[in-house]
Structures are given as structure tokens and as C-alpha cells.
Amino acid sequence: RFAILLVMMVMVGSKALAGANFEVINGLKYLLEHDTKTATLLANTEKYAGDIVVPESVKAKDGNVYTIIAFGDECFNYCTKLTSVTIPSNVISLGNDCFSDCDKLTSIKIPSKVTSLGNNCFNGCRGLKSIELPPSVTSLGEKCFAYCLGLTSIEISSSVTSLRDDCFFRCSSLTSIEIPSSVTSIGYDCFSECSSLTSIEIPSSVTSLGAYCFRGCIGLTSVKIPSSV
């Protein structure tokens, strides 16, 4: 039985490899899915730098055209010389640690088809000053904007249902934030050490506030908590 299981695992792995492969095209590395003719942008051996424009689609060695629909985990992780990124309009997800510790990234436009930002997506982007999330975004990962020390404002889409643990941890320049009525829970340490935050109003849709939610918010003078909590 063990031998049969091992053979089945090898067969499944072979099929997976047959359906996808990696390819570097114009300096950007992709995972190409042959069946769907779609591609995921991946981290490269050398860190990306400067102004990066990711195309809507790429033509691979096999002659087929692949549409870029996702940025994979750690795609631009620690790309400390990255200054800007143009995200193609068909991208639907930004993976875990996608832009973490991109110090020189000051702004970015999230296209209208993106539905989720992974854990640590912009963690440590100290130069990021503002960001607008389109209505398509429904999920913000843990520590999504943690340590974005330069972030002064953010517009959260009305489709987001929860602000997860450490979501805005130590966003020390964030002065105000509007929480949409779609949000039902605010996680552990969510706004912890947001020292410039002066006031916040929690909508009646919210039913729970995580531990240490406003820990270290030394500038906070007023908080409105609804009876739904």
C-alpha cells in the first residue's frame, strides 16, 4: 500500500510539473500555467530595483501568451532599491510578504480586480505615505501594513470584513482612519503604537476588539465604541 501511495504521489507531482513551468521574460520571473494560460509573478534570483512595470501579459518560449493574474509570496520581499511598481489590471491577489521591507516605495496603485492582500504584504514599507484600496479588496492579511512608518492616510474599501492582527501596528504617522461599516472585527494589536492617531470611531457593525488593539496610542484623545462590541 505504501508503494502504491508513493507511485500516486509521483504521478501527481509529474502532472503538476507538466502543467506549469518557470520562465524569466524581460528580467521578470513567472510561473506559467499552461492549462489556463495565466502567469504569476515570482521573486527573482536578483532583487528587483528601480521602476518596475509589469505587463498585462507575456509571450513565453512556447509561443503562447500568458495573462498575469497574481503576484506570488515574497515577490518583492526586501527589494530595498525598488522605487515604484505598476501592477497590471488583471491581477487578483498580492501574496504574503509581497512588498515587505521595500523602503523606497512611496506610493502604489492597487488595480480594481485585486481581492486580497496577503500577510505582511506591505510590512516595513517605511516610505509608503498613502494607499487607496479598491472596492474589490475583501481581505487584509495579518501585519498587512505593520511598520509603515510614513503612512499618513489609507482608504479602506467597503468590502473589507475584518482588520486582522497587527494590521496597522506601529503606523506612527497615521493621523486618522475611517473604518467602513462592512468591518465586523478588529484584531489583536491592530492599531497598537499608532502614536499619531488622535481619534477613531468604530462602526456599529463591529462586534469584537482584539487584545491590545490601541496599546501605545499616546495621542488618542477619543474613541467611540458601539454597543455591538
Side-chain angles (χ1 to χ4, degrees), residues 9-25:
M9 290 173 64
V10 170
M11 289 175 66
V12 170
S14 299
K15 286 182 180 179
L17 289 174
N21 73 294
F22 304 98
E23 193 171 320
V24 176
I25 304 171

Side-chain angles (χ1 to χ4, degrees), residues 41 43 47-48 50 52-54 70-88 91 93-111 114 116-128 131 133 143-148:
L41 182 67
K47 295 293 184 182
Y48 297 116
I52 301 293
V53 178
V54 181
F71 282 14
D73 292 349
E74 302 181 0
C75 189
F76 293 99
N77 186 25
Y78 285 108
C79 291
T80 55
K81 295 181 180 180
L82 182 74
T83 51
S84 70
V85 178
T86 300
I87 304 174
V91 168
S93 66
L94 305 178
N96 297 333
D97 289 283
C98 190
F99 294 98
S100 60
D101 292 291
C102 291
D103 289 341
K104 290 183 170 59
L105 194 66
T106 58
S107 64
I108 192 165
K109 184 177 180 180
I110 309 295
V114 171
S116 64
L117 308 183
N119 296 336
N120 300 293
C121 192
F122 292 96
N123 188 353
C125 290
R126 292 166 175 80
L128 190 66
I131 188 167
L133 303 179
K143 297 183 179 179
C144 190
F145 297 100
Y147 295 98
C148 288

Side-chain angles (χ1 to χ4, degrees), residues 193-207:
E193 298 188 39
C194 290
S195 53
S196 297
L197 196 64
T198 57
S199 65
I200 192 164
E201 183 174 338
I202 299 167
S204 58
S205 56
V206 174
T207 59

Side-chain angles (χ1 to χ4, degrees), residues 25-40:
I25 304 171
N26 295 326
L28 302 177
K29 186 177 181 180
Y30 300 97
L31 173 65
L32 305 176
E33 296 287 348
H34 302 306
D35 294 339
T36 59
K37 297 298 183 292
T38 57
T40 298

Side-chain angles (χ1 to χ4, degrees), residues 1-9:
R1 281 183 288 188
F2 175 76
I4 292 172
L5 178 62
L6 184 62
V7 170
M8 289 176 65
M9 290 173 64

